[in-house]
Amino acid sequence: MPVRILVVEDEPKMRALLRRALTEEGYAVDTADDGPQALSIAQVAAFDAIVLDIMLPGLDGFEVCAQLRRHGQRVPVLMLTARDAVADRVAGLDGGADDYLTKPFSLDELLARLRALIRRGPAERPPVLEAGDLRLDPATHQVRRGRTGITLTAKEYALLEALLRRPGTVLTRDMLVEQCWDFATSPYSNVVDVHIRSLRDKIDRPFGTTAIETVRGAGYRLRRDGGRPTTPPAPS
């Protein structure tokens, strides 16, 4: 089967140029000219790579890539843009793109980058971390308790991920500082305790559970069952 590429570009001349160049390389090429169309096509057909412009009508390339990742699409994405600001490159890569190319670009370079992405193949989706009904998805950075979504700060998320990766295991403050903070942070400060308290306020207290346990003189531990009720159920 030929390698199949989706080109998402709203400028007709650039779209035609990319389609012709990729077809001449032996690729099977489909095209889309806006964000919603790109998502619709990507949901019904399998692609080996996507060439995705950022400046698109309907949905921009950042949001298209983010939605693909949220729906479990791990197809390699090469982003194209006329904007070369570092913040844009960071936003694209953090949103799930695999590579980034700034316009104007050399077709030879685009083809070489595509070949590298196709050889690499789809990124393996990290496994969802679970304890009881508490779930953390490293691919989308979504946290849920049952059906309820939970919004965490970056440090709260890092702490929860560290605990969920080793449920039932006591993690000392030193270990948590090493995994979630930089080397300038002292393990003797109360920074871990403060963030654990705020994390409990979001994943435990609103749900009447205790997932994170304090182990006196040692550190913290996440219960394997995701958290026992803090109050016994009323008798029936």
Side-chain angles (χ1 to χ4, degrees):
M1 295 292 292
V3 172
R4 194 169 186 182
I5 308 291
L6 174 63
V7 173
V8 188
E9 168 63 65
D10 66 322
E11 206 284 312
K13 289 184 178 179
M14 177 61 74
R15 188 169 63 249
L17 172 66
L18 291 172
R19 181 169 194 162
R20 184 170 64 251
L22 293 170
T23 301
E24 289 175 354
E25 287 292 306
Y27 299 133
V29 182
D30 294 284
T31 63
D33 56 19
D34 62 35
Q37 185 185 27
L39 285 175
S40 178
I41 294 173
Q43 288 169 359
V44 298
F47 293 96
D48 296 283
I50 296 177
V51 178
L52 177 64
D53 189 35
I54 287 181
M55 301 299 290
L56 295 170
L59 291 172
D60 65 24
F62 294 133
E63 183 58 27
V64 170
C65 187
Q67 288 202 32
L68 288 172
R69 298 311 187 221
R70 283 198 292 270
H71 287 89
Q73 292 264 13
R74 309 311 301 165
V75 55
V77 172
L78 172 62
M79 276 193 166
L80 302 178
T81 182
R83 304 188 299 188
D84 61 357
V86 172
D88 291 328
R89 295 198 297 273
V90 170
L93 296 171
D94 281 349
D98 299 274
D99 202 356
Y100 195 105
L101 198 55
T102 303
K103 299 176 182 177
F105 53 82
S106 159
L107 275 176
D108 287 339
E109 181 179 5
L110 180 140
L111 293 171
R113 288 174 181 258
L114 266 181
R115 286 193 295 269
L117 289 179
I118 293 166
R119 284 197 303 270
R120 190 186 313 164
E124 184 177 346
R125 182 183 176 89
V128 174
L129 305 177
E130 295 181 290
D133 66 349
L134 184 62
R135 294 168 51 90
L136 180 149
D137 188 341
T140 62
H141 276 224
Q142 291 180 331
V143 176
R144 306 187 70 83
R145 170 75 82 172
R147 296 184 177 181
T148 304
I150 301 172
T151 301
L152 302 179
T153 67
K155 286 292 185 258
E156 292 165 354
Y157 178 92
L159 277 173
L160 180 59
E161 183 176 10
L163 291 164
L164 271 170
R165 288 193 180 278
R166 301 176 67 181
T169 301
V170 177
L171 300 184
T172 67
R173 288 172 178 80
D174 286 5
M175 294 166 68
L176 291 171
V177 165
E178 181 180 337
Q179 293 183 52
C180 305
W181 278 269
D182 57 37
F183 293 112
T185 303
S186 169
Y188 301 106
S189 71
N190 68 342
V191 64
V192 172
D193 306 287
V194 169
H195 282 82
I196 287 287
R197 190 178 310 124
S198 65
L199 182 57
R200 283 170 165 160
D201 285 340
K202 295 181 179 180
I203 70 167
D204 274 341
R205 293 190 176 94
F207 303 95
T209 59
T210 300
I212 302 174
E213 298 179 323
T214 302
V215 181
R216 298 293 180 187
Y220 296 98
R221 173 177 58 210
L222 187 93
R223 291 177 56 91
R224 293 182 182 276
D225 60 9
R228 61 186 178 188
T230 53
T231 55
S236 55

